[in-house]
Amino acid sequence: MATETIRVEAQGLTISTIIWRRYRRLKPGMFERTLGLNPGLAQAGVFLPVGYDLVMPVETKDVVADQGAIALWD
């Protein structure tokens, strides 16, 4: 899995906020994978410390399953 490092440069940021700013939508499992790549980060509290280098997983493309046509009267 590819990763990227993001430096926390402002106070009051959370992992969820950084994920939202990066992808502009919710990404299932991204929060948990980010915590897994940053051991000990959960003990720092809700807000990330300024200057922390946060390692995040990178998803290069989204996979959308073809669900076919939807009929209202099936």
Side-chain angles (χ1 to χ4, degrees):
M1 171 188 330
T3 61
E4 68 178 322
T5 302
I6 298 174
R7 176 154 296 175
V8 178
E9 296 181 350
Q11 292 182 343
L13 292 178
T14 63
I15 295 173
S16 298
T17 303
I18 292 175
I19 292 170
W20 179 261
R21 287 181 180 180
R22 171 71 172 82
Y23 293 105
R24 296 289 184 207
R25 61 190 171 87
L26 297 175
K27 302 285 283 179
M30 184 65 72
F31 182 88
E32 293 80 6
R33 285 183 273 166
T34 302
L35 278 179
L37 290 171
N38 297 276
L41 181 60
Q43 286 75 30
V46 175
F47 299 106
L48 299 170
V50 175
Y52 184 84
D53 289 330
L54 182 69
V55 180
M56 290 185 56
V58 175
E59 291 191 2
T60 55
K61 61 182 175 179
D62 295 318
V63 178
V64 178
D66 183 16
Q67 296 179 1
I70 299 173
L72 297 177
W73 293 276
D74 278 347

